[in-house]
Amino acid sequence: MEISTRALWTLIHGMGFGGLYLLACSGALVELWRRYDPAAPAPVSRRDETFMATYLLVMAGLAWLAVLSGAYIVYPWYRALPPPGTLDLHGYPQQLLIADPATSGWHELGMEWKEYVAWLAPMAITMAAGVYLRYKGQLRRLPALRNAVLGFVLISLVAAGIAGFFGAEIDDHAPVRGGAILHWMQKG
Amino acid sequence: MEPLESSPAHAAPTIPNGSGAAALLATGLGALSLALLSLTADKSPAIKDAMIFYAPTGPLSGVTTSAIGIWLLLWLLLDLLWRKREVALSRFAVLAFVLLLISLLLTFPPLAHLL
């Protein structure tokens, strides 16, 4: 069993940082909705506050790691240009996609949307974490602020979902491959 | 019933809502700057070239770095201005959310190509 370093980085970027971020979004939405509702019966304890602050900070970390690893590690491999006369475009995913009308949309719509929309997620969740660190349990007495934070977390989920969907499809049609091969298991 | 020290929201002094409004509005404007920079880099070859901060990543590097810089600077400035004040939070929250939605739409290539 083997994997190329580029494929491994794509996995770390998409399924690691991005996938974990998407999973974490639902938890943040539920917690902000349920526990910080002005009418919620139970008080917000110091333990709740520490948990929520840590949770949002970890989410922000995941979101930044996802976009930074995508933009500065995986994306340069994706958009690399082949030397003139190259016929086999499998090492050049962007060129491979746009060379075929049946797949060009994955770049022209998918990647061109994904490369920018993804950045809304770390911005929105960092804002949510910053607001939470400042107000903590007092979010309950500021329903407009709590609702706006919820809205931003929801938009960050949508943005990360768009990026994740197109990332998975693009990697399916023109995977980023190459670099050193890592052998995980060998027979004999 | 929980002890008082485990219910800090009820014990802590009330924080003015200005910081919250500053964070929301700065993020809405930061998101809009991201969308507008990506749009202008797409339309203007000169801006596209100027946005190449790191060649392997292309204009994406400059657009995102500039937008993040604008966002953080706005957040800092608005927070300094509003942190001790009560402001019209609902109005700023709606405005920030609308800006974020517009940004989301402006990054959608078919819509961006129409502009």
Side-chain angles (χ1 to χ4, degrees):
Chain A
M1 200 165 87
E2 60 186 31
I3 188 168
S4 71
T5 47
R6 291 182 184 183
L8 182 62
W9 269 112
T10 307
L11 273 174
I12 292 169
H13 156 70
M15 288 187 68
F17 303 138
L20 279 176
Y21 181 78
L22 283 169
L23 285 172
C25 274
S26 53
L29 287 168
V30 169
E31 191 70 0
L32 284 168
W33 177 261
R34 193 179 63 95
R35 201 176 292 275
Y36 296 88
D37 185 331
V44 179
S45 68
R46 207 171 292 280
R47 183 192 273 190
D48 295 332
E49 288 184 344
T50 305
F51 170 79
M52 196 61 191
T54 309
Y55 193 89
L56 290 173
L57 284 172
V58 169
M59 283 182 73
L62 284 170
W64 284 111
L65 285 170
V67 293
L68 290 172
S69 62
Y72 291 98
I73 298 175
V74 180
Y75 187 57
W77 294 325
Y78 168 82
R79 69 190 292 270
L81 292 174
T86 304
L87 295 177
D88 181 6
L89 296 174
H90 280 90
Y92 308 92
Q94 178 182 338
Q95 300 302 313
L96 183 64
L97 288 176
I98 59 181
D100 181 353
T103 58
S104 60
W106 290 115
H107 172 75
E108 285 154 11
L109 176 74
M111 181 53 84
E112 287 192 7
W113 196 12
K114 166 189 163 61
E115 68 187 17
Y116 290 110
V117 79
W119 292 79
L120 297 180
M123 291 172 77
I125 202 68
T126 303
M127 184 280 294
V131 166
Y132 188 82
L133 284 171
R134 179 115 175 93
Y135 290 94
K136 297 185 177 165
Q138 291 195 29
L139 268 187
R140 266 197 188 170
R141 68 167 188 88
L142 297 165
L145 185 58
R146 170 244 188 194
N147 291 343
V149 169
L150 264 170
F152 271 64
V153 176
L154 187 64
I155 294 291
S156 89
L157 170 65
V158 172
I162 292 166
F165 166 74
F166 282 113
E169 285 301 316
I170 288 166
D171 198 56
D172 187 40
H173 287 84
V176 173
R177 295 288 181 268
I181 300 294
L182 306 172
H183 299 276
W184 286 356
M185 270 191 266
Q186 248 169 340
K187 272 191 175 173
Chain B
M1 199 173 133
E2 295 198 31
L4 190 60
E5 65 175 359
S6 68
S7 304
H10 302 282
T14 302
I15 303 169
N17 67 14
S19 277
L24 288 170
L25 188 59
T27 308
L29 289 169
L32 188 67
S33 71
L34 174 79
L36 292 178
L37 281 169
S38 72
L39 206 62
T40 47
D42 193 40
K43 305 281 182 204
S44 156
I47 293 174
K48 187 176 188 173
D49 287 345
M51 286 289 129
I52 301 175
F53 288 9
Y54 176 65
T57 298
L60 176 66
S61 57
V63 167
T64 53
T65 305
S66 304
I68 289 164
I70 292 168
W71 164 54
L72 292 177
L73 192 66
L74 281 172
W75 193 350
L76 181 72
L77 292 175
L78 287 172
D79 192 72
L80 285 173
L81 279 174
W82 291 350
R83 65 182 304 139
K84 291 179 181 165
R85 291 175 52 189
E86 291 290 335
V87 297
L89 181 63
S90 299
R91 203 177 301 167
F92 286 119
V94 170
L95 176 63
F97 191 69
V98 169
L99 289 173
L100 187 66
L101 279 179
I102 291 172
S103 312
L104 185 79
L105 293 174
L106 283 179
T107 58
F108 183 56
L111 200 65
H113 292 155
L114 288 176
L115 301 174

